[in-house]
Amino acid sequence: MEFLSSVKDNGLLTTYSSRSFLLEPLLLRWVSGVLHMVLLLVLFCSWVRDKSRGDNWFGVVRESPKDRRGFRFNSVLFCSLALSLLNLVLMSLSCFYWYESGWSDNDQLVSLVGFLLATVSWGTLSICLHRCSKTKPPFLLRLWLVLYLVVSCYFLVVDIVMYEKDKTLHVLLPVYDIVSFSAALFLSYVAFLKKARGSINKVLEEPLLNGDSSVDATPYSRAGILSLLTFSWMSPLIETGNKKALDLEDVPELHVSDSVVKLAPNFRSMLESSSDGGGVTTFKLLKALFFSSHWEILVTAFFAFIYTIASYVGPALIGTFVQYLNGRRQYNNEGYVLVITFFLAKLLECLAKRRWYFRLQKIGIRMRSCLVAMIYEKGLTLSCHSKKGRTSGEIINFMTVDAERVGSFCWYIHDSWLLLLQIGLAMWLLYMSLGLASIAALVGTFLVMLVNIPFGKMQERFQEKLMEAKDSRMKSTSEILRNMRILKLQGWEMKFLSKIFDLRTCEEGWLKKYVYNSAVISFVFWGAPTFVSVSTFGACILLGVPLESGKILSAIAIFSTLRQPIFYLPETISMVVQTKVSLDRIASYLCQENLNPDVVERFPKGSSDIAVEVINSTLSWDVSSANPTLKDINFKIFHGMKVAVCGTVGSGKSSLLSSILGEVPKISGSLKVCGTKGYVAQSPWIQSGTIEENILFGKAMERERYEKVVEACSLSKDLEVLSFGDQTVIGERGINLSGGQKQRIQIARALYQDADIYLFDDPFSAVDAHTGSHLFKEVLMGLLSSKTVIYVTHQVEFLPAADLILVMKDGRISQAGRYNDILNSGRDFMELIGAHQEALAVVGSVHASSDSEKPGLVRDAIDSEGKQESQDLKNGKSDTGEANRQLVQEEEREKGSVALDVYWKYITLAYGGALVPFILLAQVLFQLLQIGSNYWMAWGTPVSKDVEALVNLSTLMIVYVALAVGSCFCILVRSTLLVTAGYKTATELFHRMHRCIFRSPMSFFDSTPSGRIMNRASTDQSAVDLDIPYQFSSLAVTAIQVIGIIGVMSQVSWLVFLVFIPVVAASIWYQRYYIAAARELSRLDGVCKAPLIQHFSETISGSTTIRSFNQESRFRGDNMRLSDAYSRPKFYLAGAVEWLCFRLDMLSSLVFVFSLIFLISIPTGVIDPSLAGLAVTYGLNLNTQQAWLVWGLCNLENKIISVERILQYASVPSEPPLVLESNRPEHSWPSLGDVDIRDLQVRYAAHMPLVLRGITCTFKGGLRTGIVGRTGSGKSTLIQTLFRIVEPSAGEIMIDGVNILTIGLHDLRLRLSIIPQDPTMFEGTVRSNLDPLEEYTDDQIWEALDKCQLGDEVRKKEHKLDSSVSENGENWSMGQRQLVCLGRVLLKRSNILVLDEATASVDTATDNLIQKTLREHFSDCTVITIAHRISSVIDSDMVLLLSNGIIEEYDSPVRLLEDKSSSFAKLVSEYTARSSSD
């Protein structure tokens, strides 16, 4: 292997006789060596000087190097390391040539010493830079850099002159001098000319250590070079994982350079600068992603390049090695030189690969974090119009699927150019050994790549459709999980489950096409090396190129090396396709219209006397609509005023408040707001977390103010009865609170913010009359007496206190003024007052026999008796002596090894595992046929030209082609069976988990945030769909390949087992040592994702409230914190994997080197050189395959956790059966409607107290029964028990003589009707919302709509019954949603009807209409009503008053009112007194 032509035989230096002394290469190398010796001296002198001064130039670093690493610093460090490595390579070559010359060439010795000094000096400078704490480089170092620049320039000029003169200079020397000159120029530029732009970007001139870093150094950032190369910095964490199950607290924090807190702002600025005011495109997004991590990407490209070069050293030397074994020695000790070269190449390959892979994963984590931050930020600023097109489920999918996929794509980021490089190297090596026949290999390779183009296009289309289908499914899943209580109350859960299954069927159709297309691509590319080798060897025969075993084995080794990039090309193309789709989707989302910040002009407090001013404003949720939401709005509100907004359902009251918040797009006019705002929404938005956190809402605790707010909002008693007080954890969407409690916490949150202007959207509807009066007096007229308050209300009794009343009708302000001023000035306000008077008349007719009590608030009878109010739903003080427990617990995760049962269930789920043996058999046959074909070629071709071939060429090729075709067929069978089994298994797991979730009791949904379920339905299901089958396949394939390699190597010498067996034992020990930590890190990865999803989901639903309090930055911070918590396990899991792989690579290299030493040590002729060469050819891949085997085993155990998590939710205990065939009630049941409750006791969980404590009563059929009581007295619990949402702990409920506990749930729930407290509509149409089970005709639906006063509204819409309903019914007002719920029961027409705060969200006039409708159409039915409005229950036949979970009073309203001391009489008196005061 000669690198240049010279007077000497070989070597890097050439001596010419006719040349000036100054142009002699020997002198140049001598000068270079002296110069680098001077550098060592400079560094030493600087160290001695700083030590004498007490400085710390080389000492222990007080600050992490990562803290000061800008791009230029890293460039300098990289430049120094690269020069050191380059000189090391040239030193090795010089050493090789010196040895080849018999250690007699003094010129090569000078060259060797020069390169050695350069290697040491640049390496030392790298260490200095890594540990440096100086603010700038020493003067001597800068002076040396100038000298080095001059000398490098001189060397380069000499190279150019000599090349022009002699044309014989070897290319390595000018390349080396070009690199040296470029490096010198760059280092001088940085040291002298470059001005730093802030401390973070300084390089040699920056203060590297300042001692006050805000982020503690992490194990990774503290690690030295050796620790980084060997991943020893991971050892403490892996050791901890072996001692205990890792928790998140055990996982070190991310360094600031890897934290999204630092990355997100940089990424945002890059994206904005690339957008130049235009929209975000896929290209701009990709560009920003690249430049946000460009340094890391360039470094990984360098490592990938080194790895690729090193991986081709082995194949290049196999021919020489075979010739050596055949007895053809070129020089003494050639065998040992070859062995050392093989080993060094393997070592360099291992080091480069491990750093390459780890840094790629780090890039992926960074990119995912940046995208999640951008997606989250966009969710906070989306306009209402954009939100209609993007549901929360879709947006969550952007984060859980698309951002993850972009992060995963980093594995493939260099594959495109690496493939070209590898093909180029392969073709060059093939040309060196096979000549023009290599052209056939090139053509064959490109043909294989071209074949993939149509498959790639199909893959892209299938991927797009698959993601669209997944979006639709996740959107519906999200909506269903939010409203599961309603579905169970109505008995609709199985209908909606079938809707999910239908959506999944559509998704499965695209999934099936996707995986089978992948199988075809896999077949094409597994067969690609065989096809290329057949075409190459065939071309050799046609061109007459002599086939020798050395050349054949070298070619086979090259094809084997080339197989990996070609094999992963389809996966790369697939990932490119998937990533492009994901980037397209994210870019499309980021292009969505933001909320216009200029809708409202905002002024600071004190800048004007006017708090809110609206002038000639027309606003509309849909700007393109011909009928704006609000028209010609004009009003002016001064500071301190109380403004009431009233009107009928759908008149625009809530939209008016939203317009002041800036949520409604403005068509014309102006809106001005002076001061900060506080907002209380009509539908309470409560965050998961403690009650205290919800009230403080990011503000610091001020105990005195906090206590005042809690007292004013009537929360003191609620907190007293909670086991954890204000530290009680609230479930998702406030699931463990009653409606009134949620509303009061929301009011407390607004009060604690101490805003200037308060907007209340009918917060009093969700609380009882006493609490409403208390809130109005203590909050609006008390704590907020000096504040500006705008409140929407349906309660007329709260209107007289207002300084200004705005009466809304059809989106306009029809009347405005004080109560007495507008009382007789218009019809609209009089209609509201008239409806109120009508309601009072109903109360008065019942209360006629009793004297009116003095106006004012009446003390609660229960309080006067010293009784303690009970918490309604899930929390309370335990009276059972059991340990207190929060309702919402930390997500459960398995600990220890993944049970073998999980693997077994997965494998046997599809067709009972019948396909698995055939998949394994196909792979075994493929491996045998591959080994057989290679062995045939090695055996059938001569070792050298002077040896006769054992078989003729035609026979050689026919047998080889036959074996090759057989192996390809095996691959086709394996790929097809694999995707069939994987597809079937994914389908089964999906159906099992969803059936179990939909059949689980309501307590499961109360205690399980939907983010956990969504995580399994999205991320884990995606892993089962697309990843895990290939993980199993990869493990099996690699295991079979390792067995094949060892089998071939053992044919040469059984002594290989002397090393292989201990190495395998050590590998297994390392794997077991590693897996304990890796497994828990992988589980933490899954557990940490759910809070991120949940926070995301909550933010989207509460974005209006968040914006109203100007809390966007805090929520962004919370998202970043959760994102970093999710990234931490990922980062350290990547480090753990590389820690293991590095050690396994070293062990397998040991086996390979031992085999080589054995082969060169035995006498020539003992072993067939062809067989020995075949063993070496296979042995080249041993380290890779063995590492892949253990890595695949570990990766499978990490990935199988997705199956474990799905199976965990596929075994949740179910509710009682939906139908009991042996005990079905009659078709007409319940015909009478008698409800008999006997000693009913209810608790929400075994560790919680009784909520209902021995209730016994009877609701007679055909009578109307009203249930009243303070908030939290147990009213809703009684209704939930009637529907068996909660199972009784003791007692029974009989309906028409049938014990409801003995019949199926659907037989019960479908025979009862309910209008729930929270009005719910689902995305779809008006028809599907009224009749989801599709049981009624259009005429019946229209009739029901007319009865519930919605017929005219629906007829106005273009599509009538098929008019669209957006997610959560957000394009309908709250009152209209409640009327839709009324329409459902009118359709169903059951004999037992339950109204749970059914009219809380409608105005009094609409309430009267609803009550009239119910009296008319349910006159002969049993109607059970829970209401806060006394007028809704005063005309009932019976009234049940609950207190503290027991019956305090139960009688007719008249009799209860006759007893002036009764609690009910006091409630009525309170209501009439408050209402009459106006």
Side-chain angles (χ1 to χ4, degrees):
M1 181 166 33
E2 293 186 2
F3 282 82
L4 51 92
S5 234
S6 72
V7 177
K8 303 186 179 298
D9 292 331
N10 47 33
L12 283 177
L13 293 182
T14 308
T15 303
Y16 297 91
S17 57
S18 58
R19 174 183 297 169
S20 168
F21 173 73
L22 293 176
L23 300 180
E24 286 291 346
L26 185 63
L27 174 66
L28 302 184
R29 293 309 114 202
W30 185 85
V31 170
S32 175
V34 171
L35 187 63
H36 285 97
M37 189 180 295
V38 170
L39 174 59
L40 285 173
L41 184 62
V42 166
L43 295 174
F44 178 74
C45 291
S46 298
W47 177 75
V48 171
R49 184 196 62 186
D50 290 330
K51 277 294 182 183
S52 65
R53 293 179 178 178
D55 291 341
N56 189 30
W57 206 57
F58 291 97
V60 178
V61 190
R62 298 187 300 273
E63 175 193 30
S64 161
K66 296 283 190 298
D67 289 336
R68 87 280 185 166
R69 285 188 179 177
F71 172 70
R72 290 190 301 275
F73 177 88
N74 285 319
S75 300
V76 170
L77 184 58
F78 171 77
C79 185
S80 303
L81 281 172
L83 285 173
S84 182
L85 289 172
L86 178 60
N87 281 284
L88 178 63
V89 171
L90 295 177
M91 183 191 75
S92 302
L93 289 173
S94 294
C95 183
F96 177 77
Y97 292 127
W98 188 36
Y99 166 77
E100 195 176 33
S101 68
W103 314 105
S104 60
D105 189 345
N106 292 329
D107 291 349
Q108 293 300 334
L109 177 59
V110 172
S111 176
L112 172 65
V113 172
F115 288 130
L116 174 62
L117 287 170
T119 300
V120 174
S121 60
W122 285 113
T124 304
L125 180 60
S126 300
I127 296 173
C128 293
L129 288 171
H130 185 71
R131 302 171 64 85
C132 178
S133 63
K134 293 288 284 182
T135 57
K136 61 181 179 180
F139 170 75
L140 289 177
L141 178 58
R142 287 183 284 163
L143 185 63
W144 183 88
L145 286 172
V146 174
L147 182 61
Y148 181 64
L149 176 62
V150 173
V151 172
S152 299
C153 182
Y154 170 68
F155 285 4
L156 186 58
V157 171
V158 169
D159 288 336
I160 295 171
V161 171
M162 296 311 303
Y163 184 79
E164 290 293 329
K165 183 177 180 180
D166 298 316
K167 304 288 185 182
T168 55
L169 189 67
H170 190 271
V171 70
L172 278 180
L173 292 179
V175 167
Y176 171 73
D177 288 330
I178 288 171
V179 171
S180 299
F181 174 73
S182 302
L185 189 64
F186 171 72
L187 292 173
S188 301
Y189 170 71
V190 169
F192 288 93
L193 302 177
K194 189 67 178 176
K195 299 297 183 183
R197 285 180 288 177
S199 61
I200 195 168
N201 284 328
K202 293 181 182 178
V203 188
L204 294 174
E205 297 183 5
E206 63 185 339
L208 300 179
L209 297 176
N210 51 31
D212 44 337
S213 172
S214 59
V215 179
D216 292 333
T218 65
Y220 176 64
S221 63
R222 287 196 305 265
I225 292 177
L226 186 61
S227 180
L228 288 172
L229 289 175
T230 62
F231 294 91
S232 299
W233 55 272
M234 275 299 304
S235 297
L237 183 61
I238 294 174
E239 184 180 359
T240 304
N242 272 274
K243 294 177 180 177
K244 62 185 283 285
L246 290 178
D247 294 313
L248 192 60
E249 295 75 26
D250 301 314
V251 182
E253 294 289 338
L254 292 174
H255 191 265
V256 64
S257 61
D258 296 312
S259 170
V260 70
V261 176
K262 178 182 177 182
L263 295 170
N266 294 339
F267 179 75
R268 187 187 308 112
S269 62
M270 288 179 185
L271 188 61
E272 289 171 354
S273 62
S274 65
S275 297
D276 297 326
V280 177
T281 64
T282 303
F283 174 74
K284 292 174 182 176
L285 188 61
L286 187 62
K287 180 181 174 184
L289 284 170
F290 173 79
F291 281 104
S292 66
S293 300
H294 61 291
W295 166 250
E296 290 287 344
I297 293 172
L298 293 175
V299 170
T300 54
F302 171 74
F303 284 124
F305 177 80
I306 295 296
Y307 164 77
T308 303
I309 298 297
S311 66
Y312 276 91
V313 171
L317 295 179
I318 281 181
T320 306
F321 192 77
V322 170
Q323 294 303 320
Y324 173 85
L325 295 178
N326 196 38
R328 295 173 62 182
R329 270 75 165 172
Q330 298 181 32
Y331 49 86
N332 295 332
N333 299 319
E334 181 185 4
Y336 291 103
V337 172
L338 287 171
V339 170
I340 291 171
T341 307
F342 273 120
F343 176 72
L344 289 177
K346 280 293 174 189
L347 180 62
L348 192 59
E349 178 185 336
C350 168
L351 290 172
K353 186 176 183 179
R354 300 280 64 91
R355 297 303 304 163
W356 171 27
Y357 279 14
F358 176 71
R359 284 178 175 269
L360 281 180
Q361 293 176 81
K362 194 166 83 162
I363 294 170
I365 291 170
R366 286 181 170 190
M367 288 186 175
R368 180 199 58 77
S369 298
C370 290
L371 288 175
V372 167
M374 291 301 295
I375 293 166
Y376 180 87
E377 187 169 338
K378 189 70 178 182
L380 272 175
T381 59
L382 271 184
S383 68
C384 57
H385 181 71
S386 300
K387 272 191 174 181
K388 288 180 181 178
R390 302 284 183 183
T391 64
S392 58
E394 283 181 284
I395 297 173
I396 289 171
N397 243 13
F398 293 139
M399 185 191 73
T400 58
V401 178
D402 294 301
E404 288 284 352
R405 182 168 289 121
V406 173
S408 299
F409 173 70
C410 290
W411 279 104
Y412 308 88
I413 202 167
H414 298 303
D415 282 12
S416 54
W417 67 266
L418 274 180
L419 178 62
L420 297 177
L421 174 63
Q422 288 169 318
I423 290 174
L425 285 171
M427 294 306 111
W428 179 66
L429 291 175
L430 285 173
Y431 179 77
M432 297 293 290
S433 61
L434 300 178
L436 291 176
S438 60
I439 297 175
L442 181 63
V443 172
T445 301
F446 278 105
L447 280 176
V448 169
M449 295 170 67
L450 287 173
V451 165
N452 189 65
I453 292 176
F455 291 114
K457 289 182 178 178
M458 284 192 288
Q459 201 81 330
E460 180 176 8
R461 189 168 68 89
F462 295 155
Q463 173 67 19
E464 286 183 9
K465 296 296 183 181
L466 180 62
M467 290 308 301
E468 288 174 8
K470 185 185 289 290
D471 281 346
S472 298
R473 174 173 63 81
M474 291 307 300
K475 181 170 64 176
S476 293
T477 302
S478 175
E479 184 178 45
I480 288 168
L481 290 176
R482 279 197 305 270
N483 300 297
M484 185 58 76
R485 185 180 300 276
I486 306 300
L487 297 181
K488 286 190 175 293
L489 284 170
Q490 301 283 7
W492 293 344
E493 69 268 35
M494 301 315 291
K495 175 66 177 179
F496 279 77
L497 175 61
S498 67
K499 178 182 177 182
I500 294 293
F501 283 166
D502 290 342
L503 291 170
R504 174 64 181 180
T505 300
C506 175
E507 183 183 351
E508 285 170 358
W510 294 112
L511 176 63
K512 192 172 186 178
K513 292 176 181 177
Y514 183 87
V515 296
Y516 277 102
N517 192 55
S518 298
V520 174
I521 294 175
S522 179
F523 159 69
V524 170
F525 284 94
W526 264 101
T530 304
F531 170 73
V532 173
S533 60
V534 167
S535 59
T536 304
F537 297 149
C540 287
I541 295 172
L542 293 175
L543 295 173
V545 177
L547 290 177
E548 300 171 8
S549 58
K551 294 179 178 179
I552 291 291
L553 291 173
S554 179
I556 289 174
I558 292 169
F559 296 145
S560 179
T561 305
L562 196 57
R563 171 183 292 175
Q564 183 176 350
I566 292 182
F567 171 64
Y568 285 110
L569 182 60
E571 189 174 340
T572 302
I573 292 172
S574 174
M575 276 305 298
V576 168
V577 168
Q578 293 181 42
T579 305
K580 181 181 180 300
V581 171
S582 292
L583 286 173
D584 287 344
R585 285 156 47 82
I586 293 173
S588 172
Y589 169 68
L590 294 178
C591 278
Q592 293 291 306
E593 180 188 12
N594 280 343
L595 206 62
N596 186 355
D598 300 326
V599 169
V600 176
E601 298 176 56
R602 295 174 175 85
F603 301 94
K605 180 184 178 182
S607 59
S608 171
D609 293 334
I610 300 174
V612 180
E613 183 177 17
V614 183
I615 304 173
N616 297 327
S617 291
T618 299
L619 307 101
S620 180
W621 292 108
D622 183 2
V623 179
S624 61
S625 174
N627 186 25
T629 309
L630 298 172
K631 300 175 279 290
D632 303 325
I633 304 298
N634 286 277
F635 62 85
K636 186 183 296 184
I637 300 172
F638 292 92
H639 285 292
M641 286 181 64
K642 305 295 180 287
V643 179
V645 182
C646 58
T648 57
V649 169
S651 58
K653 304 182 296 297
S654 297
S655 296
L656 183 65
L657 292 192
S658 295
S659 67
I660 296 172
L661 292 172
E663 298 289 321
V664 187
K666 181 174 65 177
I667 298 174
S668 63
S670 69
L671 293 89
K672 299 176 182 178
V673 174
C674 180
T676 58
K677 305 179 297 297
Y679 175 61
V680 178
Q682 188 172 17
S683 296
W685 178 72
I686 303 293
Q687 269 190 287
S688 298
T690 64
I691 293 175
E692 180 187 283
E693 289 169 348
N694 269 274
I695 294 175
L696 296 181
F697 204 56
K699 289 273 189 180
M701 167 62 82
E702 295 179 24
R703 182 56 63 180
E704 184 179 351
R705 176 151 64 109
Y706 180 81
E707 297 294 346
K708 280 184 181 178
V709 167
V710 168
E711 184 62 37
C713 294
S714 300
L715 284 170
S716 299
K717 288 193 174 182
D718 295 273
L719 299 181
E720 287 173 10
V721 299
L722 296 173
S723 298
F724 298 91
D726 61 3
Q727 297 305 308
T728 299
V729 175
I730 302 174
E732 190 176 19
R733 302 185 309 279
I735 200 75
N736 50 332
L737 299 174
S738 69
Q741 287 167 329
K742 285 188 281 189
Q743 195 64 272
R744 283 181 282 134
I745 288 173
Q746 191 179 219
I747 294 171
R749 175 176 64 207
L751 290 181
Y752 193 80
Q753 298 301 303
D754 194 26
D756 303 319
I757 303 167
Y758 281 88
L759 307 175
F760 288 80
D761 194 354
D762 196 19
F764 309 117
S765 296
V767 297
D768 57 69
H770 165 75
T771 307
S773 295
H774 176 85
L775 289 174
F776 189 80
K777 178 182 178 183
E778 297 297 326
V779 176
L780 266 72
M781 310 307 294
L783 288 180
L784 301 181
S785 57
S786 62
K787 304 284 187 179
T788 306
V789 182
I790 305 172
Y791 59 98
V792 171
T793 184
H794 289 131
Q795 282 117 317
V796 175
E797 56 270 24
F798 294 142
L799 296 178
D803 300 310
L804 174 67
I805 300 172
L806 302 177
V807 183
M808 300 292 298
K809 185 171 184 180
D810 298 331
R812 299 177 187 273
I813 299 177
S814 61
Q815 291 179 263
R818 295 186 65 88
Y819 183 84
N820 293 326
D821 296 338
I822 65 172
L823 191 59
N824 298 312
S825 63
R827 189 179 65 181
D828 298 327
F829 189 61
M830 280 304 299
E831 286 179 356
L832 295 174
I833 297 299
H836 178 62
Q837 296 298 337
E838 184 181 334
L840 280 178
V842 174
V843 177
S845 65
V846 180
H847 196 214
S849 58
S850 62
D851 296 324
S852 297
E853 293 190 9
K854 185 177 179 180
L857 295 177
V858 180
R859 183 176 176 83
D860 185 355
I862 303 174
D863 293 346
S864 64
E865 295 170 12
K867 295 183 180 179
Q868 192 177 40
E869 185 179 2
S870 170
Q871 163 65 23
D872 180 8
L873 290 177
K874 283 77 177 176
N875 293 289
K877 290 186 178 178
S878 176
D879 57 1
T880 61
E882 298 182 28
N884 292 335
R885 238 173 49 179
Q886 296 277 19
L887 171 72
V888 180
Q889 302 292 317
E890 290 293 322
E891 183 171 2
E892 292 181 13
R893 64 182 173 100
E894 303 290 340
K895 295 195 176 181
S897 301
V898 177
L900 290 176
D901 186 49
V902 175
Y903 293 94
W904 182 250
K905 283 181 179 175
Y906 181 84
I907 290 172
T908 58
L909 206 56
Y911 311 107
L915 298 182
V916 175
F918 294 102
I919 294 172
L920 294 175
L921 178 62
Q923 182 59 36
V924 169
L925 289 175
F926 168 77
Q927 190 66 26
L928 290 175
L929 291 171
Q930 282 282 296
I931 293 172
S933 62
N934 293 336
Y935 179 78
W936 170 257
M937 290 299 290
W939 174 82
T941 52
V943 176
S944 59
K945 297 177 182 178
D946 53 355
V947 178
E948 186 178 350
L950 297 175
V951 294
N952 61 53
L953 293 177
S954 59
T955 304
L956 183 74
M957 286 306 298
I958 289 171
V959 174
Y960 183 67
V961 170
L963 293 172
V965 170
S967 65
C968 290
F969 176 75
C970 290
I971 284 300
L972 179 61
V973 172
R974 189 208 71 188
S975 300
T976 305
L977 293 180
L978 176 68
V979 298
T980 301
Y983 169 78
K984 178 68 174 177
T985 303
T987 303
E988 284 295 319
L989 282 173
F990 179 88
H991 283 77
R992 286 192 183 187
M993 180 180 72
H994 280 74
R995 282 195 194 97
C996 196
I997 288 173
F998 275 67
R999 287 286 294 114
S1000 58
M1002 201 59 224
S1003 58
F1004 169 75
F1005 298 96
D1006 291 343
S1007 60
T1008 305
S1010 63
R1012 296 179 188 173
I1013 303 173
M1014 295 282 285
N1015 197 7
R1016 284 164 173 81
S1018 178
T1019 306
D1020 291 324
Q1021 187 62 47
S1022 287
V1024 171
D1025 286 343
L1026 300 172
D1027 291 342
I1028 295 178
Y1030 300 102
Q1031 294 296 334
F1032 270 100
S1033 171
S1034 177
L1035 179 65
V1037 167
T1038 309
I1040 292 169
Q1041 285 181 327
V1042 168
I1043 293 170
I1045 291 171
I1046 296 301
V1048 171
M1049 293 177 70
S1050 65
Q1051 291 300 306
V1052 176
S1053 171
W1054 59 269
L1055 291 175
V1056 74
F1057 285 107
L1058 292 179
V1059 177
F1060 180 69
I1061 291 173
V1063 164
V1064 167
S1067 298
I1068 292 173
W1069 181 86
Y1070 268 123
Q1071 191 265 344
R1072 299 322 301 168
Y1073 184 72
Y1074 147 90
I1075 196 63
R1079 183 194 306 118
E1080 298 310 317
L1081 286 171
S1082 185
R1083 284 175 173 148
L1084 285 171
D1085 180 32
V1087 168
C1088 291
K1089 190 170 187 177
L1092 183 62
I1093 296 173
Q1094 184 181 342
H1095 181 256
F1096 205 171
S1097 178
E1098 286 182 345
T1099 301
I1100 293 168
S1101 61
S1103 57
T1104 301
T1105 301
I1106 294 167
R1107 286 193 293 265
S1108 70
F1109 290 110
N1110 297 317
Q1111 292 276 339
E1112 296 97 322
S1113 61
R1114 181 172 72 87
F1115 274 78
R1116 288 191 197 102
D1118 289 344
N1119 174 259
M1120 289 179 180
R1121 177 178 54 79
L1122 291 169
S1123 183
D1124 277 347
Y1126 175 46
S1127 296
R1128 278 162 58 197
K1130 275 187 176 298
F1131 179 86
Y1132 287 97
L1133 179 60
V1137 169
E1138 300 308 323
W1139 177 93
L1140 175 68
C1141 287
F1142 173 78
R1143 283 150 181 79
L1144 296 180
D1145 279 351
M1146 291 295 97
L1147 288 172
S1148 55
S1149 295
L1150 183 64
V1151 176
F1152 181 56
V1153 168
F1154 175 82
S1155 303
L1156 293 179
I1157 293 173
F1158 172 77
L1159 289 174
I1160 66 172
S1161 301
I1162 59 176
T1164 304
V1166 174
I1167 294 179
D1168 181 0
S1170 298
L1171 184 58
L1174 183 65
V1176 175
T1177 303
Y1178 274 86
L1180 283 173
N1181 290 322
L1182 179 61
N1183 68 320
T1184 303
Q1185 294 301 330
Q1186 188 175 335
W1188 270 106
L1189 176 61
V1190 179
W1191 183 85
L1193 184 63
C1194 299
N1195 198 41
L1196 175 61
E1197 185 159 1
N1198 293 337
K1199 289 288 186 181
I1200 202 71
I1201 289 170
S1202 289
V1203 177
E1204 181 184 59
R1205 285 158 55 81
I1206 289 175
L1207 289 174
Q1208 185 184 42
Y1209 276 21
S1211 57
V1212 176
S1214 294
E1215 285 184 305
L1218 298 177
V1219 175
L1220 281 172
E1221 293 295 342
S1222 59
N1223 192 24
R1224 299 203 66 172
E1226 295 179 2
H1227 184 71
S1228 59
W1229 180 87
S1231 55
L1232 300 176
D1234 289 336
V1235 180
D1236 188 13
I1237 302 173
R1238 301 173 186 173
D1239 191 28
L1240 184 65
Q1241 298 178 29
V1242 177
R1243 68 174 84 237
Y1244 279 94
H1247 64 277
M1248 289 185 173
L1250 289 170
V1251 180
L1252 296 181
R1253 302 190 280 180
I1255 289 180
T1256 301
C1257 62
T1258 301
F1259 303 150
K1260 291 293 184 182
L1263 298 183
R1264 297 168 58 84
T1265 302
I1267 302 177
V1268 294
R1270 305 298 185 196
T1271 298
S1273 59
K1275 305 183 296 293
S1276 292
T1277 303
L1278 178 60
I1279 299 306
Q1280 290 185 71
T1281 310
L1282 181 64
F1283 282 81
R1284 290 180 65 188
I1285 296 297
V1286 181
E1287 293 289 323
S1289 302
E1292 61 183 14
I1293 300 177
M1294 309 288 289
I1295 297 180
D1296 284 1
V1298 176
N1299 187 346
I1300 65 170
L1301 300 179
T1302 63
I1303 62 174
L1305 293 180
H1306 273 188
D1307 281 337
L1308 170 66
R1309 294 169 183 170
L1310 290 172
R1311 308 293 180 91
L1312 308 180
S1313 291
I1314 184 170
I1315 302 179
Q1317 184 173 2
D1318 296 321
T1320 303
M1321 292 180 74
F1322 301 91
E1323 186 175 15
T1325 64
V1326 174
R1327 179 188 282 103
S1328 66
N1329 268 275
L1330 283 165
D1331 181 25
L1333 301 184
E1334 300 174 0
E1335 296 176 331
Y1336 304 101
T1337 65
D1338 284 5
D1339 290 339
Q1340 291 173 308
I1341 294 173
W1342 278 117
E1343 183 182 353
L1345 284 171
D1346 288 332
K1347 289 176 182 177
C1348 66
Q1349 313 299 317
L1350 277 178
D1352 292 339
E1353 182 69 26
V1354 175
R1355 287 186 180 91
K1356 290 178 187 175
K1357 297 182 180 294
E1358 181 181 354
H1359 300 292
K1360 305 296 189 292
L1361 292 179
D1362 293 319
S1363 298
S1364 65
V1365 176
S1366 62
E1367 186 180 20
N1368 298 323
E1370 289 179 356
N1371 56 339
W1372 294 66
S1373 74
M1374 186 71 76
Q1376 288 171 327
R1377 285 180 242 169
Q1378 195 70 280
L1379 292 176
V1380 169
C1381 295
L1382 173 62
R1384 289 172 184 157
V1385 300
L1386 289 169
L1387 266 179
K1388 197 172 182 181
R1389 194 63 177 79
S1390 301
N1391 281 332
I1392 296 178
L1393 172 62
V1394 177
L1395 308 176
D1396 187 1
E1397 312 286 1
T1399 57
S1401 302
V1402 297
D1403 58 90
T1404 309
T1406 307
D1407 184 11
N1408 292 342
L1409 285 171
I1410 291 174
Q1411 296 300 332
K1412 181 180 178 182
T1413 303
L1414 293 175
R1415 292 188 199 101
E1416 180 181 346
H1417 297 284
F1418 291 90
S1419 57
D1420 57 344
C1421 300
T1422 304
V1423 179
I1424 303 170
T1425 304
I1426 296 176
H1428 291 144
R1429 290 179 179 170
I1430 295 299
S1431 59
S1432 299
V1433 296
I1434 195 69
D1435 63 341
S1436 300
D1437 299 301
M1438 298 290 287
V1439 170
L1440 174 70
L1441 194 148
L1442 290 176
S1443 174
N1444 202 26
I1446 59 175
I1447 296 176
E1448 183 172 338
E1449 297 170 358
Y1450 182 45
D1451 210 331
S1452 68
V1454 174
R1455 290 180 183 175
L1456 290 175
L1457 289 173
E1458 287 174 354
D1459 181 3
K1460 296 297 187 292
S1461 64
S1462 73
S1463 297
F1464 182 70
K1466 292 182 179 181
L1467 281 174
V1468 174
S1469 298
E1470 177 185 323
Y1471 176 77
T1472 53
R1474 187 186 66 191
S1475 302
S1476 302
S1477 64
D1478 56 341

